[in-house]
Amino acid sequence: MLRLAAAGIDVASNVSTSFVGLLNTVREAFANSMAQETSRDVGPVVLLGPPGAGKGTQAKRIMERYQVPQVSTGDLLRYNVAQGTQLGKAAKAVMDRGELVSDDLVCEMVRLRLKQPDCRRGYILDGFPRTAAQAVWLDALLEDKFFDNSRPTRAWPIVIRLDVDYNQLLLRITGRRSCPTCGRIYNVHFQPPRVDEVCDVDGNRLVTRNDDRLEVIQPRLAAYQEQTTPVADYYQRTGRLISINGDRPVDEVTQQIFRILEDHQA
Ligand code: AP5
C-alpha cells in the first residue's frame, strides 16, 4: 500500500474499473515504485552469469535505482580497445577470440576503477570476477580495507547469479544491439528499438558487438563453463551465492534482484 501511495495511485477511484484494469494499474504502480531511485547504500554487488544472461541490462537498472556505478570489465576493456591504449592493444585479440583477458591486467583495471570516489556507497561488478583467482583477489582487496569498511554498509559483496537456458542465451546474444553513444542495450527479438537499428534515446545507429559473431559465441560460453563456474563454486562454498531465474522477462528479473538487495539492507 505504501508503494501505491508513494506512486500516487488512488486505489479507491479505481474500484469501478474492471478487475483486469485495476490489476494492470497495480502492476504499473509496483513497477514504477521499483524503478524509483533510492540513495541508500547498497555496498558491493556482483552479477554472475554466462554471456547474454542479462548482467549488463540488470546492472543499469540497479545503477539507476541505487545511484551506484556499474563497473563492467567488458565495457572498460572495450573502451580501452576503442582508445587504442596499451591495455586495449593487449586485450583486443584475446576478446575477439572469445577468451578471457589475463587476471593481472583485469584486476589492475578493476583496482583503479574501484578507487574512484563514486564507488564509496557501493558498485555493481558486471563480468568480474570471472576466474577463481579474480574472486580470491577481490576478497583480499576488500579485506585489506581498501574501502572504508567502517561505514555501516556491508564490506562483502552480494553475489547474484542469473541462470538462463542455453537456447535463450543464443537468442539473446545474436539479437543484441547496443547504442555506441549512450550504451543502452536492445534486442531485436525481445526489446527492439522503436525504429529499426536506431537508438530510442539519442537517435544514433545501433551496433553489434564484435564478439557476438556466431563463431565467437561458443568459445565465450566455453570460457564461462570452464573458468567462471569455479567462481560460483567459490561463493557457494562461502555461503554468498544467490541464484535467480534469469529466464524471466527483464522486469521480473529486476524485481527479483531488488528484493534481494532490499532484504540484505534490512
Ligand atoms: P563482457 O562484456 O562481460 O561480456 P559477457 O560476460 O559475455 O556478457 P554479455 O555482455 O555478453 O552479456 P550480459 O550478461 O551483460 O547480457 P546483456 O544484458 O547485454 O565480456 C566481453 C569480453 O571481455 C570477454 O569475453 C573477455 O574477453 C573480456 N572480459 C570481460 N571481463 C573479464 C574478466 N573479468 N576477466 C577476463 N576477461 C574479461 O543482455 C544480452 C541480450 O539479452 C540483450 O540484447 C538484452 O536486451 C537481452 N536481455 C537481457 N535480459 C533479458 C531478459 N530477461 N529477457 C529477454 N531478453 C533479455
Side-chain angles (χ1 to χ4, degrees):
M1 282 309 283
L2 277 179
R3 282 201 165 110
L4 292 176
I9 299 296
D10 177 1
V11 178
S13 69
N14 283 308
V15 175
S16 60
T17 61
S18 72
F19 178 71
V20 174
L22 180 60
L23 198 62
N24 285 340
T25 308
V26 171
R27 276 206 190 109
E28 201 178 310
F30 183 65
N32 286 342
S33 74
M34 293 297 270
Q36 278 169 7
E37 71 179 54
T38 165
S39 59
R40 278 178 292 167
D41 289 4
V42 67
V45 177
V46 168
L47 290 184
L48 276 183
K55 303 181 295 294
T57 301
Q58 297 300 332
K60 286 182 173 49
R61 288 169 169 228
I62 302 171
M63 181 172 77
E64 275 165 28
R65 179 166 168 82
Y66 290 96
Q67 301 291 296
V68 292
Q70 170 194 17
V71 177
S72 158
T73 42
D75 285 350
L76 289 171
L77 287 167
R78 279 185 287 278
Y79 175 79
N80 275 279
V81 170
Q83 296 296 310
T85 65
Q86 286 298 105
L87 170 59
K89 284 179 187 147
K92 184 176 184 324
V94 181
M95 293 172 76
D96 284 349
R97 290 196 299 270
E99 297 167 8
L100 296 190
V101 176
S102 79
D103 289 338
D104 288 352
L105 289 180
V106 174
C107 289
E108 179 57 10
M109 185 179 77
V110 170
R111 191 183 68 80
L112 292 174
R113 179 64 187 89
L114 297 187
K115 262 171 92 169
Q116 301 303 312
D118 63 336
C119 292
R120 268 183 69 84
R121 288 182 42 252
Y123 43 86
I124 309 136
L125 284 167
D126 160 8
F128 184 92
R130 222 170 173 112
T131 63
Q134 291 177 12
V136 171
W137 176 89
L138 179 64
D139 271 0
L141 184 82
L142 296 173
E143 197 163 30
D144 200 25
K145 299 200 189 302
F146 181 94
F147 297 94
D148 184 358
N149 290 351
S150 62
R151 285 162 68 82
T153 52
R154 285 166 302 96
W156 303 112
I158 296 178
V159 183
I160 301 173
R161 184 180 64 190
L162 308 177
D163 292 334
V164 180
D165 169 77
Y166 178 81
N167 290 324
Q168 173 73 201
L169 285 179
L170 292 184
L171 274 177
R172 288 189 189 179
I173 298 172
T174 52
R176 172 169 45 201
R177 304 287 184 275
S178 54
C179 174
T181 316
C182 72
R184 184 155 177 179
I185 303 169
Y186 298 87
N187 192 287
V188 296
H189 309 296
F190 307 111
Q191 297 170 299
R194 283 194 291 272
V195 178
D196 258 7
E197 305 293 335
V198 173
C199 180
D200 292 349
V201 179
D202 52 32
N204 281 310
R205 191 125 206 103
L206 302 180
V207 293
T208 303
R209 257 169 53 177
N210 205 28
D211 59 351
D212 279 350
R213 288 170 293 132
L214 269 177
E215 62 272 29
V216 190
I217 293 174
Q218 281 310 331
R220 285 170 63 202
L221 290 169
Y224 178 79
Q225 192 59 37
E226 285 158 26
Q227 290 166 278
T228 311
T229 305
V231 175
D233 295 342
Y234 173 79
Y235 286 124
Q236 179 95 57
R237 277 198 304 279
T238 49
R240 284 183 274 164
L241 182 70
I242 303 170
S243 299
I244 64 170
N245 183 358
D247 259 334
R248 305 298 303 159
V250 174
D251 286 348
E252 284 186 34
V253 178
T254 306
Q255 287 177 19
Q256 293 182 68
I257 293 174
F258 285 174
R259 277 194 207 104
I260 291 167
L261 298 182
E262 300 290 324
D263 283 352
H264 277 73
Q265 286 183 333

